[in-house]
Amino acid sequence: MKDPNFLKKYQNYHDKNIALIGHMGSGKSTIGKLIAKKLKLRYLDSDQLIEKNTNKTIYEIFKSDGETKFRTIEESTILSLKNKKNLVLSLGGGSIISAKVRQLLNKNYITLFLDIDLSILVKRLKYSNKRPLIAGQDIETKIKELDIFRRKYYLLADIILKEYDNPSETLINFLIKYKKLNEKNY
Ligand code: S3P
């Protein structure tokens, strides 16, 4: 950016937390960390919190307790953050299927949906071995199936961004939309 102060003004706009939603592999943690750094907010990741609280990996929880139990833990972990402020929170791809999570997001968060082309996700996820939902599955079929069910919830986001050439470009585009949104709200 030409003007070094350009981004400073965004630092006041954090009366609401920011949450990143979208499919696995969409870049939520990469972009979330960049946003947190730029806006001087704390970064948290729901999967990491779950792993810390349960002392198990997500993979182990799915394997030993099953998806339903994982969703219960995921929901309560996210809801436990309801009084936290100054947060950028990256959410597991399936967390928005919980109505209670959506309610919390609606109230306390500005949400960003990273709407990445499914074909790009499939390429990225080919090499992932820590995601139980796609393990041993045809990734393209699985992602399409998840998308059919989840897209309507992802589309509720305040800000929707497509794929950009690199994460810093995504960050800039987020900040522009974030600023507009805040101007509209005040
Ligand atoms: C899941 C996404 C994962 C993780 C779990 C289930 C999903 O998180 O919560 O494997 O249902 O889409 P990421 O979206 O951070 O990969």
Side-chain angles (χ1 to χ4, degrees), residues 21-28 31 114-116 121 124 163:
I21 61 174
H23 285 297
M24 40 193 147
S26 59
K28 289 167 289 183
I31 303 304
L114 295 174
D115 188 10
I116 308 304
L121 293 181
R124 287 185 191 166
E163 175 80 2

Side-chain angles (χ1 to χ4, degrees), residues 87-120:
L87 273 193
V88 175
L89 176 64
S90 172
L91 290 173
S95 57
I96 41 75
I97 56 180
S98 153
K100 287 183 185 162
V101 167
R102 293 199 304 275
Q103 222 170 26
L104 175 71
L105 293 179
N106 196 28
K107 198 165 154 237
N108 292 356
Y109 286 77
I110 285 180
T111 42
L112 164 60
F113 168 34
L114 295 174
D115 188 10
I116 308 304
D117 218 72
L118 297 191
S119 61
I120 297 176

Side-chain angles (χ1 to χ4, degrees), residues 3 5 10-11 14 37 45 75 87-88 108 118 142:
D3 173 5
N5 292 321
Y10 296 109
Q11 285 163 11
H14 47 74
K37 195 167 171 220
D45 174 308
E75 182 184 77
L87 273 193
V88 175
N108 292 356
L118 297 191
K142 187 66 194 178

Side-chain angles (χ1 to χ4, degrees), residues 3 40 56 79 84 89 97 107 112 151 155:
D3 173 5
K40 298 196 169 29
K56 285 182 183 175
L79 296 181
K84 295 257 186 284
L89 176 64
I97 56 180
K107 198 165 154 237
L112 164 60
R151 175 156 285 270
L155 290 175

Side-chain angles (χ1 to χ4, degrees), residues 138-150:
D138 178 77
I139 298 176
E140 190 176 352
T141 310
K142 187 66 194 178
I143 281 290
K144 278 187 180 159
E145 184 188 303
L146 292 174
D147 192 63
I148 287 170
F149 183 57
R150 295 177 178 176

Side-chain angles (χ1 to χ4, degrees), residues 31 34 161 163-174:
I31 303 304
L34 287 178
L161 291 178
E163 175 80 2
Y164 289 96
D165 286 343
N166 57 59
S168 11
E169 224 182 293
T170 305
L171 173 67
I172 295 292
N173 281 288
F174 167 76

